[in-house]
Amino acid sequence: MERGLTNISSATTTTLVDFDSDTQVSKINISNNSGSNAVIVSLFKHDGTTSNDAYLIKFVTIPVGASLVLDDNVNVDTSILSLKITTEGTSPDVSVMIE
């Protein structure tokens, strides 16, 4: 897998950037690669406890073949936080690129 590229093909929660990874995050592109199903995504900063999750986006529907680009105030302090995504829907097929 290329650094900064994650492919997700199920309804799940995936760690995109782990804490202590020394990865800079300034832009995130989330693409729905499905030819027939919308996908619902939530993107959040995680400190190890679910009570403190800080959502950048929550329950956003991405239509078939569309992408969502986040490039404003998307900084994550990876020394103390991880960045996770939750995908929901029928047979999600998502690519996430982090720059």
Side-chain angles (χ1 to χ4, degrees):
M1 177 173 57
E2 183 178 321
R3 181 178 169 106
L5 173 62
T6 304
N7 292 305
I8 304 166
S9 58
S10 63
T12 189
T13 298
T14 304
T15 300
L16 298 172
V17 179
D18 212 350
F19 74 96
D20 279 342
S21 65
D22 196 32
T23 301
Q24 298 294 320
V25 178
S26 61
K27 182 178 180 182
I28 302 168
N29 182 313
I30 306 168
S31 299
N32 181 359
N33 303 320
S34 175
S36 57
N37 299 310
V39 65
I40 300 167
V41 297
S42 297
L43 184 70
F44 57 98
K45 299 174 186 182
H46 181 72
D47 73 349
T49 60
T50 56
S51 62
N52 289 332
D53 289 341
Y55 284 85
L56 300 170
I57 58 172
K58 191 168 185 178
F59 302 131
V60 173
T61 300
I62 301 176
V64 171
S67 295
L68 173 66
V69 177
L70 304 170
D71 61 358
D72 187 27
N73 295 320
V74 188
N75 54 358
V76 178
D77 183 356
T78 58
S79 67
I80 58 172
L81 299 170
S82 61
L83 181 65
K84 295 188 176 200
I85 188 169
T86 299
T87 52
E88 300 178 39
T90 304
S91 302
D93 183 6
V94 175
S95 293
V96 183
M97 292 178 283
I98 296 176
E99 297 177 30

